[in-house]
Amino acid sequence: MQKIFLIFIFITFFATMLSGKNEMNVFDQLIPLPKEIQPGTGTFKINKTTKIIADQRAKLAAELLASELQNRFGILLSLETAPSTTPSEKNCIYFEWRVDLTQEEQHRLEITSNRVTIQAGSLSGFFMAVHTLRQMLPLKGNRIVLPAVAIHDWPDFHWRGMLWDVGRHFFTKDEVKKYIQLLSYYKINKLHWHLTEDQGWRIEIKKYPKLTEIGAWRIEQNGTRYGGFYTQDEIREVVQFAQAHGIEIIPEIEMPGHATAALAAYPEISCTGGPFEVANSWGVFDDVYCAGKEKTFTFLENVLDEVLALFPGVYVHIGGDECPKTRWSQCPDCQQHIKANNLRDEAELQSYFIRRIETYLNSKARRLIGWDEILEGGLAPNATVQVWRDWNYAVEAIKQGHDVIMSPTSHCYFDASPERLTLENVYTFYPVPPELPDSSIKHILGGEFNLWSESIFNLEDLNYRVFPRALAMTENLWNGKTKAPYTEFLKRAKNHYPILRAQKVNPGPEGPVYSVQYAVTKDAYQVLIEEKQPGLAYHFTLDGSKPTQTSPKIQAHQLTFSTAKALRIQPFQDSAPYGPETGISSGFVNHKARGANVTFINSVNPKYPGTGPNNLTDGIRGSLNFHDGFWQGIEGQDLIATVELNQVETIERISLGMLHTPNAWIFFPTMVIFEISEDGQNYSLLGTVLNEFSYRENKSLIHSFTLQTKPVEARYLRITARNIMMNPSWHRSPDGLSWLFFDELVVE
Ligand code: ACM
Ligand code: ZN
């Protein structure tokens, strides 16, 4: 394994000498790195008269090369079918079918001053050679000069995928096509398209129009309507585009869980009959497809019939993860089904469900993939298991003779911020559990990186999470244990930043970049940036507009201001946005207690410290997102806080902002008690505000518990918010301790 890398070092050195010091060596930008590269002498120039001569079986790959040359350089090469013997022509790009290159994706790419020869024994091999050529094309200018080289290459793992959740946030057909182009460029050959979720059904099914009339749309917590879906024509267009790039799309139709959007449209295939609304919060929901009703299976088979007609690949993903058994255990139909089929429990009912769907798919010559939960209650006989929770599930599935795709949360959940899952972490990934014998490695098909989209709202959010980490993942899966050391990979990856930026894709950070501290005084807000990566420029706005490179720059890592509509800060690297924005959009509020000291009787939970001890009086309100860093939380206790104002103040109005998010075990208090004092010892009651909301309100709300009073003078305040202590009886976890979340204490 060392040897190949040493050869690489040697040839890069050699090739760098040949190409001259100032010119970047094209082999320094190949990702994944080909296994065998032998630089030659001379160059091949592609011009208008260059012909592409391709074996019929390489046609799609040859067309991709032709269209890339046309799109990037405006030259339209003639594309001819290869004769049965090697053509004698020079100045051509020749795709030659070779029976001796037996492995899928294996190929040779030879560039001499006379011609380019691509040899493979599979269409996938031709595609991979074309992707290598695409990476060797110059970024700028219109002179297409390729250095002479002989490359022989093949991947260690043939399944190199990206999961894209378009359920939580929807992405358009054109955005998906843009990504297909990008992924194929890096030899990522599978797009796992997660098309159905609790929060949205995204694929038109002609037999069940309500799936998209109702299921594709949700009412967000702020009251706006959100959604979208792909028509079948659009799906066909995307599938064809993927085929033209050598990518297979694996559709995922989730079952039996994560089905709220479908149940909102067709409640009769649930256990309770509904009604349901398309979910507008994240999590795992109790209402799932009823496993005891025949009409559920009729529905799913009809849906799958239309899905299979759209997606020609062999594999279909049916989810199978995170299916609570709460409803099944109460449902007469499900219980009857357990009895009638001699099943032991609800886990076996899930297994029955998946097996039945697998039988259906197998009867149509398709293969089922499911998340590792499909091991529960017994694996369906031919299923491929996608592992996400624990590597042991891979070992278990392989022991039972099944194939496995690896996307463990430890390395593959790219929805995690680059600060938490760094590029270097990702680069340590090797998809084979260490305890697996070599004879079983063939069952590890490869891996996927997953983009769950709860916090991915648009393409910019996606871009910085996918890149550069996808480059590490494709390298991991292509070269496995023979890959280059991280520092060498990082250099190559950085060579791709300008390439990506030229395609309007801003790669994100490789790891932690900075942290922000907020401080507040009676008169001003102060922002301090602590740099973890030098050389970035921080531009900001205070009026709510998007920061650009022409927005003012934070000087010396410090910013002070007295008021703002919103604070938005964007780091830039090499004139391009670098990673996510940070800032405060939920609102600044100036008031008489701003900057005052707060003391708590019951401690704030360290997981939710807000902006610090004086979060309650920091002049910044929390948003509907309890994780936004501006809320403090206390679990299973009352909030009792005293506040020392900066001076004696006249008070006419006092309010305490509270959050209610039952999914996260956060509930409004039953009441808020306001007391005042002159000396901080003896308090008198100013007033009590009772909660007016129903505890059954199962959505996120912010409410200010507000007391209006005749003017009084005080130096000290005491605030008590009474916790309901336990989650209500209807809650998914009725025995759980409930939380109070509070911010901001506004004194006027
Ligand atoms: C998953 O992340 N629930 C597969
Ligand atoms: Zn049921």
Side-chain angles (χ1 to χ4, degrees), residues 145-209:
V145 182
L146 301 169
V149 72
I151 289 174
H152 178 205
D153 205 9
W154 65 94
D156 285 15
F157 298 95
H158 295 293
W159 195 288
R160 303 177 302 278
M162 161 168 156
L163 172 144
W164 194 349
D165 165 14
V166 293
R168 274 57 176 261
H169 283 102
F170 180 66
F171 290 82
T172 64
K173 169 201 78 176
D174 290 329
E175 290 171 330
V176 177
K177 285 169 71 176
K178 179 184 169 97
Y179 252 76
I180 286 169
Q181 217 162 7
L182 279 166
L183 296 176
S184 69
Y185 188 78
Y186 293 109
K187 302 189 174 125
I188 293 158
N189 61 353
K190 310 283 178 192
L191 176 60
H192 171 173
W193 207 2
H194 185 81
L195 287 164
T196 72
E197 254 308 332
D198 294 304
Q199 296 82 7
W201 183 283
R202 305 286 175 226
I203 171 171
E204 178 190 29
I205 301 293
K206 305 260 191 213
K207 199 173 178 85
Y208 300 107

Side-chain angles (χ1 to χ4, degrees), residues 637-653:
Q637 288 181 311
D638 291 336
L639 156 69
I640 309 170
T642 56
V643 178
E644 181 183 355
L645 299 176
N646 305 301
Q647 62 203 44
V648 174
E649 296 279 6
T650 306
I651 299 172
E652 294 178 65
R653 195 166 184 269

Side-chain angles (χ1 to χ4, degrees), residues 535-564:
L536 303 182
Y538 296 84
H539 293 268
F540 71 96
T541 63
L542 296 173
D543 61 1
S545 64
K546 189 176 169 65
T548 64
Q549 255 205 302
T550 57
S551 310
K553 202 152 121 181
I554 295 182
Q555 303 295 342
H557 307 129
Q558 274 196 38
L559 174 65
T560 305
F561 58 95
S562 57
T563 185

